[in-house]
Amino acid sequence: MEIQDSINVAQAKNVLRGQGLNAKSSLSLAKRLKEEKEFSYARQILAKARQEELDDPALRLKLAQQQALCTYKDPNLPADERFDEGRRILNEADSLETSVNQETLGLAGAIFKYRWEVFGQMANLERSLTYYTRGYQQGIKNDWGYTAINAAFVLDVLAALETASARSAGGTSESARIRKQQAEEIRRRIIQELNDLLQSTAKAQVEGSWWFWATLAEAHFGLGEYKDALKYLGKRAELKVPEWEFESTARQAAALARWQFGPDKTDEFESSEAWQVLRTLLGDNEAAVRQAFFGKIGLALSGGGFRASLFHIGVLARLAELDVLRSVEVLSCVSGGSIVGAHYYLEVRKLLKSKSDHEVTRQDYIDVVKRIEKDFLAGVQRNIRTRVALSIVANWKMIFSRDYSRTERIGELYEKEIFSRVGDQEEQAPRYLNQLFIQPPDGPPGFAPKTHNWKRSAKVPILVLNATTLNTGHNWQFTASWMGEPPTCISSEVDGNYRLRRMYYQEAPERYRDVRLGLAVAASSCVPGLFEPIVLPELYPEETVRLVDGGVHDNQGIASLLEQDCTVLLVSDASGQMGTIENPSSGPISALLRSNGISMSRVRETEYLDVDARRRSSLLRGVMFIHLKKDLDVIPKNWIGCEDPEDPARQKGWQYPLTTYGIRKDIQAKLACVRTDLDSFCDLEAYALMCSGYMMTQSEFPNSISGFGISGPPVESWDFLKVLAPMQRISGIDKAHHYLMKVLLVAQHSAFKIWRLSPQLKIVSWIIGVLAAVELTLACWHWRSASLVTLGALGVTLAMVSVGWIFGKTIGRVVRYHDTLRQIAIGVVMGILGSLLARLHIHVFDKGFLAWGRMDRLSALGLRERPYSQPPQSTGQAPSCSQEPIQPSEPEKASPASSKKAGVGKD
């Protein structure tokens, strides 16, 4: 599906290419572009118009004001740059220190208000109030109350923030009371003076303006005079207000209600008259009211290979039960999260293309996740990592072709083994990003989520697949609309690297107008050192773009949610968190790798602290952040000879070994150590990861997010919940729990898992080891008789290696082959023997491993399911990844009565 330019955008492109247009016509074109939210084109058109010599001072000022507005609203500019540039343009045209122009002062107030929303600094909000107040002091009638109504709004925001701060300290705020009083006085003056205008000669002019009635309605709404507010908002039907103006008014009213009621008083608002006014205004559309009040929900799925993918499925399952998935508007995915995120997006696309908004139900999303639970695991168990080397033809192509890599091969396997399982009648054809738009049957033609989602109950999500650009070090995004580096993730204050501008596919060079979904997912998940970067030559002049795993830049995918203006963040983090090492290696390679892990850990911590600060300052209306080490305790370690040691009982073990979300800490510790790989995961590994994500979400969502979803215990018969019972045992370790622990103990290893599980293969490995030792002993015993032959063979071998090493490249140049002879030899081995070994592994050892981890093996041990109940808060030390299953401490071996008190039923 190709997006066609609108008439206004096409005209703007022609003007920027050199077509003549006078200043007044440029102003008119910019206004039309603003209505389409094409602020970037409008900004450039106005900048070009201002280069003309103009005799009209009023026109020059108007052009500057509109350019400043389009600049600070332009999403294609970095946040700090667009605010600073907008202020500079205003100040250049009309000094902000001395200006009495209400349009200038109102724009300056808006710039600093938006700056506060992005950066959270109260000083920006105070400065915004200063400019709005100066505009208000120039007279309400002169600008129909625009600066005055915004001054009242900012006063309410400041009052709410000060009230929350004082309440947290157990007090009240006199400053907040004064600000509320000032806001009330301003609104009463607005009502009085705008009603005077209706009695004056300006009546005909003001009656035809929606913004006049919207300002009057907001003044009444802010005073709690909801009937009067609804009366004035009803003028919309008479004036035929454009959709974007109506949406802006509704959002402003909802924002005002949120600050007046308080961000934490969701239930109070939903039962209020203000809610009913907004609901009536929006035609009884509760989804639109909820979205306007609470904001945009974004879901981030972190990197971490298939471990992360499977954990995310459990998160999706509980969010589906809570009926939250229908409200997700942005899906930001990294690495392993991109694999399952793309699969989920295809399933949702199939759903939303087949049903109108009112037909989509909560059960539809549950069914989507149930299909993913089954189909994704089936794809994972095809062992994509090993299948990369399965085809001899593909192996030779990977080795001897510059245009084909292991990463591109794995992208093809994602589509073949996983995405093809989505039965949308497109599964047999290549999937291209620019063909993955979602057009709901009841949506307007050319449905655009950013414009049309706000009134829908079942939101059309925007899929963002995150990679990292090696050229610049910036985040690179693939969506259904564009690819490139987003501007808002770059701070010009600390980052001087150029930005590779993102482009719509129809504007890209010919060869990049069709980008495979599998290639984008592969770019997002190609771990440096394990996979080659995705190479995009001839995309930018004199530049070869190379992309690696998105986790190098942002492994949680949070930056893309903030870039898309999400105000409620749901973050599922199953990334590989750094563990402790008792004796770190002093080798340079080991130290380098460990140092890189420490650096990545600090990035993750800094990102979390930034999000948490935004939440505490009310810029974000909710944050759920779950991760695999949640509730695993950090215990101080005593030094040798310590005279005030940590509590011995706490050091010794656990009194209550359950996390707050109901999973044993020894089990959860093993899940945190599961490999971040792309090989097969057996049923027990997969179900345990899904179960962990599900239980965390069950516990954390109601504690972190208000106003969304429904509450209650698990309600669906998910297959993965079959493994929950042995993950919760605390009254004794039974056979099922012990078997699960045995499987999870080997889950951290990328190779030889079946050899660690199977007693028969362990015996075989010991026999092989013994035979090898005997052979070596005999060889050493008879070294004299074999010495001459051995030394001769060794000499010939060394000579051949030396000749090949010295002259290999020269010979390669003579035969004009782009690889050395050494690479050719490796290619032969990998192309033939690699394929044979891959087949042996998949058809023998992998099958054995999957058989060991089947769910029916656990069931055969007498597994009995039981309902989940909330466990007590616990303290204690979590085990390391290599620790064997522990026996419960004495407090665990409790009586049936005490077991019930701990929230656990009898075995």
Side-chain angles (χ1 to χ4, degrees):
M1 174 181 173
E2 184 173 314
I3 300 178
Q4 300 294 328
D5 290 335
S6 69
I7 295 174
N8 295 318
V9 169
Q11 185 181 357
K13 288 182 177 180
N14 289 333
V15 172
L16 295 175
R17 293 188 188 111
Q19 184 183 79
L21 197 67
N22 62 41
K24 289 186 176 179
S25 297
S26 296
L27 197 60
S28 177
L29 174 58
K31 180 181 178 181
R32 298 194 298 274
L33 289 167
K34 284 194 306 176
E35 292 176 357
E36 297 179 15
K37 297 186 178 181
E38 295 286 354
F39 294 106
S40 186
Y41 285 116
R43 171 180 61 82
Q44 296 175 71
I45 291 294
L46 292 165
K48 186 174 181 180
R50 289 186 65 210
Q51 294 174 359
E52 299 180 26
E53 294 290 336
L54 301 173
D55 296 329
D56 185 351
L59 180 58
R60 287 202 305 270
L61 178 59
K62 188 68 175 176
L63 287 169
Q65 290 170 337
Q66 291 302 301
Q67 184 190 358
L69 183 149
C70 294
T71 298
Y72 83 74
K73 287 193 172 185
D74 185 358
N76 292 323
L77 295 175
D80 56 341
E81 180 179 323
R82 70 184 193 226
F83 296 137
D84 290 344
E85 181 65 9
R87 183 167 63 93
R88 186 197 64 77
I89 293 169
L90 274 182
N91 195 54
E92 183 183 82
D94 187 10
S95 173
L96 294 177
E97 290 186 8
T98 60
S99 177
V100 293
N101 184 288
Q102 289 177 304
E103 180 75 8
T104 296
L105 294 170
L107 287 169
I111 287 173
F112 281 96
K113 184 176 72 172
Y114 280 109
R115 193 179 184 91
W116 165 75
E117 290 180 354
V118 172
F119 300 114
Q121 297 170 335
M122 289 285 287
N124 287 321
L125 201 55
E126 293 282 4
R127 197 161 179 182
S128 172
L129 177 62
T130 299
Y131 285 120
Y132 280 137
T133 301
R134 282 174 54 192
Y136 155 59
Q137 290 169 349
Q138 305 307 312
I140 290 175
K141 293 180 181 179
N142 296 331
D143 67 349
W144 297 352
Y146 168 73
T147 50
I149 200 67
N150 279 288
F153 176 83
V154 174
L155 283 167
D156 273 333
V157 174
L158 286 166
L161 293 172
E162 290 169 353
T163 299
S165 178
R167 188 187 301 122
S168 66
T172 59
S173 171
E174 178 64 15
S175 174
R177 186 192 65 78
I178 294 173
R179 291 189 192 275
K180 288 181 180 179
Q181 184 178 348
Q182 291 173 338
E184 182 178 342
E185 290 172 358
I186 291 174
R187 291 189 176 102
R188 295 205 179 280
R189 283 198 60 191
I190 290 172
I191 292 170
Q192 179 182 345
E193 296 200 23
L194 293 190
N195 277 310
D196 289 345
L197 275 177
L198 288 173
Q199 308 303 320
S200 69
T201 55
K203 178 180 179 180
Q205 182 183 5
V206 299
E207 280 186 327
S209 169
W210 167 248
W211 295 121
F212 175 87
W213 297 112
T215 301
L216 197 53
E218 184 181 337
H220 281 289
F221 192 90
L223 294 172
E225 298 169 353
Y226 298 116
K227 290 183 180 179
D228 290 325
L230 194 58
K231 178 181 68 174
Y232 293 123
L233 290 171
K235 295 286 184 178
R236 179 200 177 200
E238 302 173 17
L239 299 176
K240 298 181 180 179
V241 179
E243 185 71 12
W244 73 272
E245 293 185 7
F246 175 59
E247 179 186 353
S248 177
T249 301
R251 289 187 182 280
Q252 178 72 1
L256 177 59
R258 186 175 67 254
W259 288 111
Q260 287 192 334
F261 279 86
D264 57 341
K265 296 183 179 179
T266 303
D267 296 337
E268 183 178 330
F269 171 67
E270 290 188 354
S271 60
S272 70
E273 195 175 350
W275 171 277
Q276 294 302 323
V277 168
L278 289 172
R279 183 172 174 175
T280 302
L281 174 66
L282 296 172
D284 288 331
N285 188 332
E286 285 201 19
V289 179
R290 190 175 297 277
Q291 203 266 7
F293 184 83
F294 296 105
K296 183 187 289 189
I297 302 182
L299 173 60
L301 304 179
S302 79
F306 282 153
R307 177 183 81 179
S309 302
L310 296 165
F311 179 85
H312 298 326
I313 290 175
V315 175
L316 291 171
R318 186 53 184 160
L319 291 178
E321 285 184 347
L322 294 170
D323 204 19
V324 174
L325 288 182
R326 70 163 69 238
S327 300
V328 172
E329 297 194 55
V330 182
L331 189 62
S332 175
C333 308
V334 183
S335 196
S338 291
I339 307 170
V340 72
H343 189 180
Y344 169 76
Y345 178 84
L346 292 174
E347 285 283 3
V348 171
R349 176 173 176 262
K350 172 187 171 184
L351 168 66
L352 298 183
K353 285 179 65 177
S354 63
K355 288 188 175 184
S356 58
D357 190 34
H358 71 277
E359 294 175 323
V360 179
T361 66
R362 166 179 168 273
Q363 188 61 44
D364 286 322
Y365 287 93
I366 292 174
D367 292 342
V368 161
V369 182
K370 278 184 176 288
R371 287 194 296 272
I372 294 173
E373 176 194 27
K374 176 183 176 182
D375 293 342
F376 191 86
L377 179 56
V380 166
Q381 293 182 343
R382 295 281 289 168
N383 200 330
I384 288 179
R385 182 193 68 184
T386 305
R387 285 184 182 276
V388 171
L390 195 67
S391 167
I392 296 176
V393 175
N395 288 347
W396 280 83
K397 187 178 177 183
M398 284 185 282
I399 294 168
F400 297 119
S401 172
R402 291 181 177 178
D403 300 325
Y404 190 74
S405 67
R406 293 172 65 246
T407 309
E408 289 170 290
R409 173 63 177 158
I410 211 166
E412 294 174 351
L413 290 171
Y414 289 151
E415 291 194 26
K416 178 182 178 182
E417 303 295 345
I418 298 178
F419 305 152
S420 65
R421 297 175 187 272
V422 179
D424 54 1
Q425 300 182 343
E426 300 175 28
E427 59 268 25
Q428 301 304 319
R431 295 185 185 273
Y432 295 104
L433 286 171
N434 59 338
Q435 297 174 5
L436 294 184
F437 287 98
I438 299 175
Q439 177 62 54
D442 55 342
F447 184 93
K450 280 192 172 183
T451 304
H452 303 121
N453 246 350
W454 76 289
K455 279 190 173 182
R456 286 183 60 86
S457 175
K459 310 295 186 186
V460 173
I462 296 173
L463 175 67
V464 183
L465 303 173
N466 296 280
T468 303
T469 315
L470 287 180
N471 307 58
T472 62
H474 298 155
N475 173 222
W476 178 284
Q477 295 177 343
F478 290 99
T479 74
S481 301
W482 70 77
M483 64 178 176
E485 297 179 354
T488 53
C489 297
I490 302 169
S491 173
S492 59
E493 289 293 328
V494 296
D495 187 348
N497 292 345
Y498 58 79
R499 177 173 63 89
L500 300 175
R501 290 181 58 195
R502 60 188 180 189
M503 68 200 77
Y504 291 99
Y505 296 112
Q506 68 268 25
E507 299 174 340
E510 185 70 30
R511 64 186 290 187
Y512 294 109
R513 294 184 181 178
D514 293 316
V515 177
R516 292 282 289 266
L517 172 64
L519 183 74
V521 174
S524 178
S525 58
C526 60
V527 179
L530 297 180
F531 297 100
E532 302 91 336
I534 287 291
V535 182
L536 305 178
E538 300 178 5
L539 184 57
Y540 296 88
E542 301 179 358
E543 188 113 21
T544 298
V545 177
R546 285 183 168 85
L547 305 177
V548 296
D549 194 300
V552 174
H553 184 274
D554 171 19
N555 207 20
Q556 285 65 50
I558 294 173
S560 292
L561 296 186
L562 297 176
E563 192 261 340
Q564 290 290 327
D565 298 322
C566 294
T567 54
V568 177
L569 308 187
L570 310 176
V571 183
S572 176
D573 180 12
S575 60
Q577 297 181 40
M578 185 183 68
T580 57
I581 300 178
E582 291 187 350
N583 295 292
S585 172
S586 59
I589 301 300
S590 297
L592 177 64
L593 294 175
R594 183 62 174 176
S595 298
N596 180 68
I598 294 171
S599 180
M600 294 297 294
S601 179
R602 290 291 298 137
V603 170
R604 176 178 178 273
E605 180 182 351
T606 301
E607 189 166 45
Y608 170 76
L609 292 175
D610 174 63
V611 169
D612 189 55
R614 291 171 182 266
R615 178 194 60 79
R616 285 185 282 107
S617 64
S618 298
L619 293 178
L620 295 176
R621 295 160 205 173
V623 176
M624 182 189 79
F625 193 103
I626 58 175
H627 57 93
L628 282 170
K629 288 192 175 181
K630 187 168 181 60
D631 274 7
L632 299 186
D633 305 286
V634 177
I635 304 299
K637 192 168 185 177
N638 301 321
W639 63 89
I640 296 174
C642 176
E643 296 183 357
D644 56 340
E646 189 72 21
D647 180 9
R650 190 178 177 207
Q651 290 281 354
K652 181 181 178 181
W654 309 332
Q655 184 177 5
Y656 300 107
L658 286 182
T659 62
T660 56
Y661 44 92
I663 292 177
R664 282 189 62 122
K665 289 190 175 183
D666 54 347
I667 291 281
Q668 191 60 41
K670 299 301 175 289
L671 293 176
C673 296
V674 171
R675 64 197 178 281
T676 57
D677 211 333
L678 299 176
D679 64 339
S680 288
F681 278 64
C682 67
D683 291 352
L684 295 183
E685 293 176 303
Y687 286 172
L689 286 164
M690 293 179 196
C691 203
S692 176
Y694 179 92
M695 298 301 288
M696 278 194 212
T697 308
Q698 158 80 4
S699 172
E700 286 300 306
F701 185 88
N703 296 329
S704 305
I705 310 294
S706 60
F708 292 98
I710 56 177
S711 60
V715 294
E716 292 297 321
S717 56
W718 302 98
D719 286 343
F720 60 76
L721 286 181
K722 295 174 182 177
V723 81
L724 178 59
M727 294 176 71
Q728 290 187 320
R729 296 286 190 220
I730 68 169
S731 58
I733 295 184
D734 59 7
K735 292 180 180 180
H737 174 82
H738 185 83
Y739 190 88
L740 178 61
M741 284 292 290
K742 185 176 182 179
V743 172
L744 293 182
L745 274 169
V746 305
Q748 62 182 299
H749 302 287
S750 295
F752 303 109
K753 292 184 289 295
I754 184 59
W755 293 77
R756 301 170 192 271
L757 286 171
S758 170
Q760 294 85 353
L761 287 178
K762 283 183 181 180
I763 294 172
V764 170
S765 65
W766 276 106
I767 293 174
I768 292 173
V770 170
L771 290 176
V774 170
E775 183 69 24
L776 181 61
T777 303
L778 292 174
C780 293
W781 182 261
H782 298 289
W783 72 273
R784 291 179 181 176
S785 60
S787 60
L788 292 177
V789 177
T790 302
L791 289 174
L794 180 61
V796 171
T797 302
L798 289 174
M800 293 177 63
V801 170
S802 300
V803 170
W805 182 264
I806 296 170
F807 298 106
K809 293 184 178 180
T810 303
I811 296 171
R813 285 195 293 270
V814 170
V815 299
R816 296 184 180 279
Y817 202 80
H818 72 275
D819 283 323
T820 64
L821 294 179
R822 185 169 62 254
Q823 289 172 314
I824 294 175
I826 294 173
V828 172
V829 173
M830 289 299 295
I832 300 174
L833 297 182
S835 176
L836 294 176
L837 290 174
R839 292 176 187 276
L840 175 66
H841 178 76
I842 286 178
H843 296 299
V844 179
F845 299 114
D846 203 47
K847 279 191 175 181
F849 172 66
L850 294 177
W852 261 86
R854 287 201 311 264
M855 188 64 216
D856 57 5
R857 285 212 172 193
L858 201 68
S859 302
L861 297 174
L863 173 65
R864 298 185 299 278
E865 296 184 44
R866 59 188 174 80
Y868 162 72
S869 58
Q870 190 73 10
Q873 187 76 24
S874 64
T875 60
Q877 186 175 8
S880 66
C881 296
S882 59
Q883 191 172 336
E884 291 294 328
I886 66 166
Q887 292 297 326
S889 56
E890 285 306 315
E892 285 184 66
K893 299 177 180 178
S895 65
S898 62
S899 296
K900 291 180 180 179
K901 290 180 180 179
V904 180
K906 292 177 63 178
D907 289 333

